Amino acid sequence: QVQLVESGGGLVQPGGSLRLSCVGSGIIFTNYAMRWHRQAPGKQRELVASISSSGSAYYGNSVKGRFTISRDNAKNTVYLQMNSLKPEDTAAYYCNVPVDLMTFWGQGTQVTVSS
């Protein structure tokens, strides 16, 4: 019943910006943390950012100062604003929402940073 749909990925030059969106359905996320992960081919999945139900944000060291996570509970949406993009940011980006012992994942959206 819970579904997450990501959008906003694409091809961007180094130094450019993208904003990813993740819209949920089947659940109201007001009381849940929301997270963004990414995974590049041949690499392990990496936690990029998370935001708690109270609005506290966490960022991986590689994206601190460049990415911003935010949420709009009225729209059941989490965003990831990505600035000053680097080639090493190239990956498939996934949003997820932990609910009790189960984590729901989106289908992913591809971000490619290349000149």
Side-chain angles (χ1 to χ4, degrees), residues 66-85:
R66 300 188 298 119
F67 290 12
T68 302
I69 188 171
S70 62
R71 63 192 297 162
D72 186 337
N73 290 328
K75 298 180 178 179
N76 279 353
T77 301
V78 60
Y79 304 95
L80 185 67
Q81 178 66 47
M82 305 184 295
N83 298 325
S84 301
L85 284 162

Side-chain angles (χ1 to χ4, degrees), residues 1-63:
Q1 294 182 3
V2 178
Q3 186 175 17
L4 303 175
V5 180
E6 295 130 313
S7 62
L11 175 64
V12 64
Q13 293 185 329
S17 299
L18 286 173
R19 189 178 77 157
L20 307 183
S21 299
C22 175
V23 180
S25 62
I27 190 173
I28 298 176
F29 299 119
T30 302
N31 297 323
Y32 302 100
M34 306 179 78
R35 306 182 299 195
W36 286 96
H37 285 80
R38 68 185 182 187
Q39 187 168 26
K43 297 182 179 180
Q44 291 186 319
R45 187 176 62 197
E46 174 188 15
L47 175 64
V48 176
S50 66
I51 184 167
S52 72
S53 60
S54 63
S56 298
Y58 164 85
Y59 300 96
N61 289 333
S62 63
V63 306

